[in-house]
Amino acid sequence: MEFILRSGDIDNRRTVSPENAMQEGSRIHRMIQRRMGPEYQAEVGLKYVYDTGEYEIIVEGRADGIITENVTEDITAKSTETTGQLTQQVRVTIDEIKGVFRDIKKMKDSVPVHLAQAKCYAYIYAAQNGLNAIRVRMTYCHMETEEIRYFHYDYTYQELREWFEEVMEQYRKWADYSFAWQKMRQESIKALTFPYSYREGQKELASYVYRTIYHKRKLFIEAPTGVGKTISTVFPAVKAMGEELCEKIFYLTAKTITRTVADHTFALLREHGLKFKSVMLTAKDKICFLEETECNPEHCPYAKGHYDRINDAMYDMLTHEDVFSREKIEEYAKKHSVCPFEMCLDMSLFADAVICDYNYVFDPHVYLRRFFAEGIRGDYIFLIDEAHNLVERGRDMYSAVLRKEDFLELKRTVRAYDERIAKNLDKCNKELLALKRECENYRVEEHIDPFVRALTRLSAAIDDYLEDHEDSPVRSDILEFYFEVSHFLEMYELLDENYVTYSEMESDGSFILKLFCVNPAKNLRECMQRGRSTILFSATLLPIGYYKTLLGADEGDYEVYAKSVFNPEKMGLYIGSDVTSRYTRRGDEEYYRIASYIHEVVRQRHGNYMLFFPSHAFLRNVYEIYIHYFNAEGTVECIVQEDYMNEQAREAFLNRFTGNEDCDLNALIRMEIEVEEDRSLLGFCVMGGIFSEGIDLKNDSLIGAVIIGTGLPQVCNERELLKNYFDGWGENGFDYAYRYPGMNKVLQAAGRVIRTVEDFGIVALLDDRFLSPAYQRLFPREWENYEIVTVDHIGRRIERFWDEWL
């Protein structure tokens, strides 16, 4: 076990990315070190081994500088027997350099945690070199002005020894528990066996995952529903931990419901003897005890005194629980009166697995710096579920947009409070106005440096104001805008060939400037390099080459297509050859034809069906015709996905399919309910929406899906930018911008029907474009035996299917 101190050299409060802040911090270090004389020894490695008897704690780091100098000291005052005697002494000083953005003139003392780091170095050096006394110098350098301020502290060896031993004793309690727990965990992993009989191909899939971890690679898995991809990735990752190939597993998802699946998988392994601690990270606004989240000790009783109580709260939970769920976090946070969100993050330090959203690893602002800061690489395994979602999420996380009108609105708000901010807002607005005059609809911008310079000055003005005005009545307005400005400037520093900068006139008349990350591969790859190995898996990772390109695959990374365990004959797949959702064909005649298809599909067997449409408007047009011509008497129950549905509305919608009015979303993961109804239920949904992926309706909860159109994203300026960008890189731009994302939505929607080996059902693809080679090459292997139908014949084909299986 190692207890490692690493130099935290940046007080990163300005608008720079952590990576660039580190580069600036390194520059500041080198600048100061070069100015020192021959008595200054830079970058001195220090190491101390604390032997507990059962294990060793290694405290190590690198002192920025050690100064050894001869000083003349008047010892008259120290002795009554001396008169004006001078003595020559050797004084050793540990120099700790910190690059900061704060106004160093206002600093009254050094930051306690910075000083504690330097005191550790001072004790180690004094102990190893037999010194009776040693000095610490805290050197603070402003990152922009390069102004320097020093704080000096003198310690005897005995003072440092007592302080250091107290620190180690405080840590020893945690280290003792961690050592005992890890020993117990490793023994349980050695004895752990796979909890089921392996399905066909499942053992091979698990072995692919383990070998990938062993070789420190990435693995891209196309895993059809039913393969058991969660247990097939979690189990070998846990086994790799047992072989000391990793120290922590991160299970990353895009949706809450898939996080719950992972949580249940770890619970299953615990039932089979695994000793394992896991935490599920919950967003701050969801877990906060207050109605309005305000992380200020003056407003929040849980924030006030949080750090005085958090250690006791954590140790209490650590020694009594293995599952750090949201409910348990809230229970212990209330018991000890601490912030539940911060406690949740702190418990991740002691968890063997962290189940969380993508952003805790990939988002440039939210990522867990306690694991990934300062370029540190750990033996982490990243298991990325529903990895097809990471492409768009990656683009969103590494893009930035500013709206011209927001500058004017904030100017009106702050004018009476800070003239400097108001003037800088006005300068930014003028730069944006100049860009707006050149933009008719949208325009690729090649040169926005003048605006960025103005924005940087605005950021500095806001930063100074926020530091000096903690109780300002406009602080919340300024702070929210400041975060947007900070993100824009950070993303500006990342601009390269993977970005396109463009301006655009919005439909509401507003003007935006956007840094658009068209290819997130580089940024995602750098994040994944913080760990040992990454396993990316999805039921719809086709074409796999497309996802490898955009998700940061390196040469030598692996890919595998897991064989489906389902009998493909249990899914009737029908492609309508006389129907389409093309814009040129949209009208009442086509809407009526689609409604006729729906009618012919549904009347062959009573049951639950989901219908997926390209948009809400398209859905509404077909719905009205279907109700008028085919369901005037209401013999078929129809429910519609609205533009916005809160969690309660979503649950109510899904509960109609399960027949359980009291169940919640989490229950859908486990339930296998057969619903016998004397009439059909139709759910009118939008493709790519909340009901087209991530839900698990088994058995008769869903017996069919009708998918209207190819799922192509709407033509817009941003999609055209994507198309042109990838055309320029020698790829098929239309595929990358439209066809592949659209087909993924189709595959996800179709995947709602067959969820278990017992299931059977039908999928109707209503668009003749599915018959073209461009789409058929994107079909999964299980779709080989489709039938081509027209509206006049689909009824008889489906009737034949049900006769065979019922």
Side-chain angles (χ1 to χ4, degrees):
M1 175 181 294
E2 293 182 348
F3 173 61
I4 301 175
L5 286 174
R6 300 182 187 274
S7 300
D9 300 321
I10 309 300
D11 178 17
N12 185 17
R13 307 201 311 159
R14 281 279 197 217
T15 54
V16 294
S17 67
E19 290 76 11
N20 282 285
M22 282 190 293
Q23 292 172 6
E24 275 297 288
S26 298
R27 183 187 67 80
I28 291 293
H29 276 63
R30 291 191 298 270
M31 177 194 74
I32 293 174
Q33 290 165 344
R34 282 197 298 267
R35 292 177 182 176
M36 298 295 105
E39 71 278 1
Y40 192 98
Q41 184 180 2
E43 302 297 327
V44 180
L46 297 169
K47 183 176 181 179
Y48 181 87
V49 178
Y50 184 92
D51 192 348
T52 69
E54 287 189 287
Y55 60 91
E56 294 178 342
I57 300 175
I58 301 174
V59 185
E60 63 179 359
R62 187 176 293 275
D64 294 325
I66 297 180
I67 307 167
T68 305
E69 55 189 340
N70 294 317
V71 295
T72 302
E73 185 177 358
D74 184 350
I75 63 172
T76 302
K78 297 184 180 180
S79 174
T80 58
E81 300 178 2
T82 57
T83 55
Q85 294 186 20
L86 302 178
T87 182
Q88 200 71 9
Q89 299 282 343
V90 175
R91 184 172 67 197
V92 176
T93 301
I94 301 295
D95 188 28
E96 183 61 30
I97 303 170
K98 299 295 179 185
V100 298
F101 286 110
R102 67 179 67 183
D103 186 349
I104 61 175
K105 294 189 184 71
K106 297 179 180 178
M107 294 181 67
K108 297 179 181 179
D109 201 350
S110 61
V111 178
V113 70
H114 295 167
L115 179 59
Q117 180 182 347
K119 287 171 70 175
C120 285
Y121 294 151
Y123 169 73
I124 295 172
Y125 190 85
Q128 293 175 349
N129 291 275
L131 303 182
N132 293 321
I134 193 168
R135 170 173 283 193
V136 168
R137 183 175 80 179
M138 296 302 305
T139 302
Y140 285 94
C141 181
H142 194 277
M143 299 281 280
E144 294 175 345
T145 66
E146 298 183 0
E147 182 181 0
I148 294 175
R149 186 173 180 184
Y150 299 108
F151 296 94
H152 292 90
Y153 308 86
D154 290 297
Y155 301 101
T156 66
Y157 170 73
Q158 189 62 29
E159 288 173 332
L160 287 174
R161 178 181 177 181
E162 291 174 1
W163 173 85
F164 185 81
E165 288 180 350
E166 182 181 354
V167 170
M168 295 305 296
E169 277 305 307
Q170 291 177 7
Y171 181 75
R172 173 76 181 270
K173 176 177 73 171
W174 302 87
D176 282 348
Y177 183 85
S178 295
F179 176 78
W181 171 258
Q182 289 180 21
K183 184 177 180 181
M184 187 188 312
R185 183 197 67 195
Q186 296 301 82
E187 290 174 354
S188 74
I189 294 175
K190 295 285 188 182
L192 184 68
T193 58
F194 198 74
Y196 302 118
S197 297
Y198 282 107
R199 298 173 183 172
E200 183 181 359
Q202 196 171 35
K203 189 172 184 178
E204 289 76 10
L205 179 58
S207 68
Y208 289 143
V209 172
Y210 186 89
R211 289 200 296 269
T212 300
I213 295 169
Y214 180 84
H215 291 293
K216 301 182 180 181
R217 295 289 188 179
K218 303 185 199 75
L219 174 63
F220 294 78
I221 305 173
E222 159 69 19
T225 302
V227 168
K229 62 184 186 308
T230 307
I231 188 65
S232 299
T233 53
V234 167
F235 179 78
V238 170
K239 279 294 190 180
M241 181 177 285
E243 296 299 322
E244 299 186 355
L245 297 179
C246 84
E247 59 186 282
K248 199 176 295 285
I249 298 168
F250 289 86
Y251 194 102
L252 311 173
T253 75
K255 293 180 171 62
T256 302
I257 197 165
T258 43
R259 290 196 281 280
T260 309
V261 174
D263 188 46
H264 290 163
T265 302
F266 285 115
L268 172 67
L269 295 179
R270 287 191 194 96
E271 292 172 4
H272 285 75
L274 177 65
K275 301 295 183 183
F276 206 78
K277 293 185 183 291
S278 62
V279 63
M280 188 182 299
L281 300 186
T282 305
K284 182 187 294 186
D285 58 343
K286 290 185 178 180
I287 201 172
C288 180
F289 292 144
L290 303 185
E291 289 187 9
E292 292 187 14
T293 303
E294 187 167 358
C295 300
N296 187 324
E298 295 182 3
H299 299 93
C300 176
Y302 300 97
K304 188 174 183 179
H306 168 87
Y307 292 105
D308 297 330
R309 300 182 295 272
I310 185 60
N311 282 354
D312 289 340
M314 290 174 61
Y315 196 76
D316 187 8
M317 187 174 199
L318 182 65
T319 53
H320 291 93
E321 309 290 344
D322 290 347
V323 182
F324 310 148
S325 64
R326 173 179 174 176
E327 293 75 20
K328 285 296 181 180
I329 292 285
E330 290 175 343
E331 176 188 329
Y332 281 83
K334 286 181 178 177
K335 176 181 176 182
H336 293 272
S337 191
V338 296
C339 170
F341 178 68
E342 290 298 327
M343 183 175 180
C344 189
L345 295 181
D346 286 339
M347 293 310 296
S348 68
L349 293 167
F350 295 92
D352 303 306
V354 179
I355 305 170
C356 59
D357 187 85
Y358 294 156
N359 59 12
Y360 288 101
V361 171
F362 295 105
D363 190 284
H365 302 290
V366 181
Y367 76 89
L368 297 170
R369 285 174 172 79
R370 62 195 66 206
F371 300 113
F372 311 126
E374 303 178 20
I376 296 172
R377 175 173 177 169
D379 280 327
Y380 308 130
I381 297 173
F382 302 130
L383 304 180
I384 303 180
D385 199 355
E386 303 293 352
H388 63 276
N389 287 305
L390 189 55
V391 174
E392 289 302 326
R393 284 286 298 274
R395 284 188 177 127
D396 289 342
M397 287 187 282
Y398 286 93
S399 296
V401 62
L402 290 174
R403 179 175 170 267
K404 177 183 177 296
E405 288 68 24
D406 291 341
F407 288 82
L408 294 175
E409 291 174 13
L410 186 62
K411 178 185 173 183
R412 288 191 289 268
T413 301
V414 305
R415 182 186 292 138
Y417 297 91
D418 192 271
E419 187 62 27
R420 181 185 171 201
I421 292 179
K423 286 182 178 179
N424 280 283
L425 284 165
D426 189 55
K427 290 177 181 177
C428 290
N429 180 64
K430 288 179 180 178
E431 294 294 342
L432 288 173
L433 181 61
L435 295 174
K436 180 180 178 180
R437 287 171 177 159
E438 300 294 325
C439 177
E440 295 183 4
N441 176 17
Y442 85 101
R443 180 172 181 260
V444 174
E445 301 289 351
E446 301 293 343
H447 185 64
I448 63 168
D449 290 350
F451 169 70
V452 172
R453 286 194 291 269
L455 194 66
T456 302
R457 291 191 290 269
L458 170 63
S459 175
I462 293 177
D463 190 75
D464 290 340
Y465 182 85
L466 292 173
E467 186 170 346
D468 296 335
H469 299 83
E470 293 188 2
D471 298 321
S472 170
V474 295
R475 182 180 176 85
S476 60
D477 297 308
I478 295 175
L479 190 61
E480 184 177 351
F481 185 78
Y482 178 65
F483 290 148
E484 294 180 12
V485 169
S486 299
H487 180 62
F488 191 95
L489 289 173
E490 288 188 25
M491 295 307 100
Y492 181 76
E493 293 176 0
L494 298 179
L495 287 188
D496 57 14
E497 68 277 4
N498 297 301
Y499 279 80
V500 173
T501 302
Y502 73 93
S503 58
E504 184 177 34
M505 296 297 303
E506 300 282 83
S507 58
D508 62 359
S510 60
F511 176 75
I512 67 165
L513 179 65
K514 184 166 184 176
L515 311 176
F516 182 33
C517 180
V518 291
N519 184 358
K522 177 184 176 183
N523 294 326
L524 298 177
R525 182 187 302 113
E526 289 176 354
C527 292
M528 287 184 268
Q529 286 171 348
R530 297 166 179 161
R532 176 191 179 98
S533 179
T534 302
I535 313 299
L536 305 99
F537 50 98
S538 169
T540 57
L541 213 59
L542 292 175
I544 206 161
Y546 161 76
Y547 287 103
K548 289 182 71 174
T549 298
L550 295 185
L551 293 178
D554 291 303
E555 185 177 353
D557 287 338
Y558 310 132
E559 63 184 68
V560 63
Y561 189 109
K563 183 178 179 181
S564 174
V565 299
F566 297 155
N567 179 355
E569 295 181 0
K570 285 189 171 184
M571 187 184 83
L573 180 62
Y574 307 94
I575 301 178
S577 62
D578 58 344
V579 63
T580 187
S581 65
R582 290 184 181 90
Y583 284 96
T584 54
R585 290 260 297 270
R586 292 187 182 183
D588 288 344
E589 181 179 349
E590 202 67 23
Y591 297 146
Y592 180 86
R593 185 183 300 274
I594 292 168
S596 300
Y597 261 104
I598 295 170
H599 174 67
E600 289 297 324
V601 169
V602 173
R603 75 186 185 94
Q604 307 306 319
R605 184 192 173 196
H606 292 306
N608 297 341
Y609 299 83
M610 278 190 170
L611 320 173
F612 296 97
F613 295 87
S615 67
H616 285 281
F618 199 120
L619 180 157
R620 186 61 61 179
N621 287 326
V622 175
Y623 172 79
E624 291 174 355
I625 289 177
Y626 178 80
I627 294 297
H628 180 74
Y629 289 101
F630 300 102
N631 197 36
E633 297 180 0
T635 56
V636 175
E637 180 183 357
C638 299
I639 56 178
V640 177
Q641 175 186 339
E642 302 297 337
D643 287 347
Y644 172 77
M645 300 177 76
N646 60 27
E647 191 167 340
Q648 291 72 28
R650 297 179 196 180
E651 289 182 6
F653 189 98
L654 290 173
N655 289 345
R656 289 299 302 120
F657 286 87
T658 64
N660 185 350
E661 298 301 323
D662 297 322
C663 78
D664 59 21
L665 281 173
N666 293 340
L668 293 174
I669 298 165
R670 301 182 303 276
M671 65 175 47
E672 297 185 10
I673 298 173
E674 293 192 8
V675 183
E676 295 294 339
E677 297 195 28
D678 57 1
R679 67 173 185 166
S680 292
L681 169 69
L682 300 187
F684 285 72
C685 307
V686 175
M687 208 184 320
I690 54 178
F691 300 120
S692 62
E693 65 174 285
I695 60 172
D696 210 5
L697 298 171
K698 299 174 182 177
N699 304 118
D700 281 355
S701 294
L702 188 71
I703 65 169
V706 179
I707 299 169
I708 296 92
T710 55
L712 295 180
Q714 285 190 327
V715 176
C716 64
N717 294 333
E718 206 159 87
R719 284 287 146 185
E720 289 300 295
L721 285 172
L722 285 173
K723 177 180 178 297
N724 295 336
Y725 173 87
F726 286 107
D727 278 340
W729 279 85
E731 302 287 351
N732 186 316
F734 182 82
D735 284 350
Y736 273 62
Y738 294 100
R739 183 175 284 119
Y740 295 160
M743 193 60 192
N744 188 274
K745 290 188 286 186
V746 171
L747 294 170
Q748 282 291 331
R752 298 314 95 205
V753 178
I754 305 296
R755 308 301 299 173
T756 73
V757 291
E758 293 82 19
D759 287 355
F760 48 86
I762 61 102
V763 173
L765 306 178
L766 302 188
D767 201 300
D768 58 13
R769 284 174 286 184
F770 286 116
L771 295 172
S772 69
Y775 281 94
Q776 299 225 331
R777 64 186 173 87
L778 304 179
F779 281 14
R781 298 172 183 174
E782 298 76 36
W783 284 20
E784 292 178 354
N785 298 320
Y786 61 84
E787 294 188 49
I788 302 173
V789 296
T790 63
V791 69
D792 297 328
H793 300 104
I794 189 171
R796 291 194 294 274
R797 301 289 182 87
I798 291 179
E799 181 183 22
R800 186 189 312 156
F801 174 84
W802 290 126
D803 287 344
E804 182 178 350
W805 290 103
L806 290 179

